[in-house]
Amino acid sequence: IFAEAAGQHRVPGAMEGVGHVVRNRVESGLPNFPRTYQGVIYQRGQFTSVGGELWQKAADPGALTGPNLRAYSRALTVAEGMYYGTIPDPTGGALYFHSGEPTRWFREALGESRVTARIPPFTFYK
Protein backbone atom coordinates (compact mmCIF):
# COMPACT_ATOMS: atom_id res chain seq x y z
CA ILE A 1 0.00 0.00 0.00
CA PHE A 2 2.82 2.38 0.91
CA ALA A 3 4.86 1.78 -2.22
CA GLU A 4 1.87 1.89 -4.55
CA ALA A 5 0.07 4.91 -3.06
CA ALA A 6 2.54 6.91 -0.93
CA GLY A 7 1.95 10.07 -2.93
CA GLN A 8 -1.77 9.86 -2.23
CA HIS A 9 -1.63 9.32 1.54
CA ARG A 10 -3.71 12.47 2.08
CA VAL A 11 -6.38 11.54 -0.50
CA PRO A 12 -9.34 9.97 1.31
CA GLY A 13 -9.89 6.45 0.02
CA ALA A 14 -6.78 6.18 -2.17
CA MET A 15 -4.68 3.93 0.06
CA GLU A 16 -7.81 2.10 1.16
CA GLY A 17 -8.65 1.42 -2.47
CA VAL A 18 -5.22 -0.02 -3.23
CA GLY A 19 -5.40 -2.25 -0.16
CA HIS A 20 -8.86 -3.46 -1.04
CA VAL A 21 -7.88 -4.38 -4.57
CA VAL A 22 -5.33 -6.76 -3.05
CA ARG A 23 -7.92 -8.12 -0.61
CA ASN A 24 -10.57 -8.41 -3.33
CA ARG A 25 -8.19 -10.43 -5.49
CA VAL A 26 -7.36 -12.81 -2.63
CA GLU A 27 -11.02 -13.30 -1.82
CA SER A 28 -12.24 -13.44 -5.44
CA GLY A 29 -11.65 -17.15 -5.93
CA LEU A 30 -10.80 -16.40 -9.55
CA PRO A 31 -8.14 -18.69 -11.02
CA ASN A 32 -6.05 -15.81 -12.39
CA PHE A 33 -5.33 -14.48 -8.87
CA PRO A 34 -3.30 -16.14 -6.11
CA ARG A 35 -5.12 -17.01 -2.86
CA THR A 36 -2.72 -15.20 -0.52
CA TYR A 37 -1.82 -11.57 0.05
CA GLN A 38 1.82 -12.29 -0.66
CA GLY A 39 0.92 -14.15 -3.84
CA VAL A 40 -1.22 -11.29 -5.11
CA ILE A 41 1.38 -8.64 -4.30
CA TYR A 42 4.20 -10.54 -5.97
CA GLN A 43 2.19 -11.74 -8.98
CA ARG A 44 4.27 -10.81 -11.97
CA GLY A 45 3.42 -7.55 -13.69
CA GLN A 46 0.58 -6.56 -11.38
CA PHE A 47 2.01 -3.82 -9.15
CA THR A 48 4.59 -1.50 -10.67
CA SER A 49 5.96 -0.49 -7.28
CA VAL A 50 7.22 -3.97 -6.32
CA GLY A 51 10.99 -3.74 -6.20
CA GLY A 52 10.97 0.01 -6.89
CA GLU A 53 12.40 2.87 -4.89
CA LEU A 54 9.57 3.21 -2.36
CA TRP A 55 9.40 -0.57 -2.03
CA GLN A 56 13.07 -0.55 -1.06
CA LYS A 57 12.56 2.34 1.37
CA ALA A 58 9.79 0.42 3.13
CA ALA A 59 12.35 -2.27 4.02
CA ASP A 60 13.91 0.21 6.47
CA PRO A 61 11.02 2.30 7.84
CA GLY A 62 13.27 3.75 10.55
CA ALA A 63 15.10 5.67 7.83
CA LEU A 64 11.93 7.26 6.45
CA THR A 65 11.37 10.97 7.08
CA GLY A 66 8.86 13.67 6.25
CA PRO A 67 6.08 12.79 3.81
CA ASN A 68 7.37 9.24 3.31
CA LEU A 69 7.21 8.56 7.06
CA ARG A 70 3.67 9.93 7.24
CA ALA A 71 2.65 7.89 4.20
CA TYR A 72 4.21 4.73 5.64
CA SER A 73 2.43 5.21 8.97
CA ARG A 74 -0.89 5.77 7.22
CA ALA A 75 -0.32 2.72 4.98
CA LEU A 76 0.21 0.53 8.06
CA THR A 77 -3.00 1.80 9.62
CA VAL A 78 -4.91 1.22 6.39
CA ALA A 79 -3.43 -2.26 5.90
CA GLU A 80 -4.42 -3.32 9.39
CA GLY A 81 -7.94 -1.92 9.11
CA MET A 82 -8.44 -3.35 5.65
CA TYR A 83 -7.15 -6.78 6.70
CA TYR A 84 -9.40 -6.96 9.77
CA GLY A 85 -12.40 -5.60 7.93
CA THR A 86 -12.77 -2.34 9.83
CA ILE A 87 -12.28 -0.19 6.70
CA PRO A 88 -15.05 -0.39 4.11
CA ASP A 89 -14.14 -0.97 0.49
CA PRO A 90 -14.32 2.36 -1.37
CA THR A 91 -13.80 0.60 -4.72
CA GLY A 92 -17.04 -1.36 -4.95
CA GLY A 93 -15.21 -4.67 -5.16
CA ALA A 94 -12.59 -3.64 -7.72
CA LEU A 95 -9.97 -6.12 -8.88
CA TYR A 96 -7.87 -3.69 -10.93
CA PHE A 97 -6.75 -0.08 -10.81
CA HIS A 98 -4.46 2.36 -12.53
CA SER A 99 -3.38 5.93 -12.02
CA GLY A 100 -3.24 8.53 -14.73
CA GLU A 101 -4.30 7.62 -18.24
CA PRO A 102 -5.39 4.02 -18.79
CA THR A 103 -3.13 1.74 -20.76
CA ARG A 104 -4.33 0.06 -23.91
CA TRP A 105 -5.01 -3.11 -21.89
CA PHE A 106 -7.35 -1.28 -19.51
CA ARG A 107 -9.21 0.36 -22.38
CA GLU A 108 -9.61 -2.87 -24.36
CA ALA A 109 -9.99 -5.51 -21.65
CA LEU A 110 -11.99 -3.59 -19.06
CA GLY A 111 -13.32 -0.37 -20.55
CA GLU A 112 -15.48 2.32 -19.00
CA SER A 113 -18.36 -0.06 -18.31
CA ARG A 114 -16.33 -1.84 -15.62
CA VAL A 115 -15.25 1.28 -13.67
CA THR A 116 -16.41 0.93 -10.07
CA ALA A 117 -14.84 4.04 -8.53
CA ARG A 118 -12.61 7.00 -9.20
CA ILE A 119 -10.43 8.19 -6.35
CA PRO A 120 -7.92 10.53 -7.96
CA PRO A 121 -5.46 9.70 -9.28
CA PHE A 122 -6.77 6.11 -9.33
CA THR A 123 -9.51 4.53 -11.40
CA PHE A 124 -10.82 1.19 -10.13
CA TYR A 125 -12.36 -1.61 -12.22
CA LYS A 126 -14.20 -4.86 -11.61
Side-chain angles (χ1 to χ4, degrees):
I1 294 170
F2 166 70
E4 200 71 28
Q8 291 75 37
H9 73 278
R10 292 183 178 164
V11 177
M15 285 187 154
E16 293 85 346
V18 169
H20 272 284
V21 164
V22 174
R23 181 181 181 159
N24 294 342
R25 287 180 178 190
V26 169
E27 294 180 351
S28 74
L30 295 172
N32 50 329
F33 296 123
R35 309 256 183 205
T36 67
Y37 287 94
Q38 182 177 359
V40 166
I41 291 166
Y42 285 104
Q43 188 176 18
R44 186 181 174 138
Q46 296 300 302
F47 295 97
T48 58
S49 64
V50 172
E53 182 181 349
L54 288 176
W55 184 269
Q56 298 301 321
K57 287 182 179 190
D60 185 11
L64 294 172
T65 60
N68 281 336
L69 180 58
R70 288 188 291 280
Y72 184 82
S73 176
R74 176 136 164 60
L76 286 178
T77 300
V78 167
E80 183 178 83
M82 181 272 320
Y83 181 81
Y84 289 109
T86 60
I87 293 178
D89 183 355
T91 73
L95 298 171
Y96 304 94
F97 71 95
H98 68 78
S99 63
E101 289 298 313
T103 64
R104 182 177 176 185
W105 183 86
F106 275 97
R107 287 190 309 273
E108 292 177 1
L110 301 177
E112 267 313 293
S113 66
R114 293 185 52 190
V115 171
T116 60
R118 285 190 170 85
I119 303 169
F122 301 114
T123 301
F124 296 89
Y125 300 79
K126 209 163 198 178

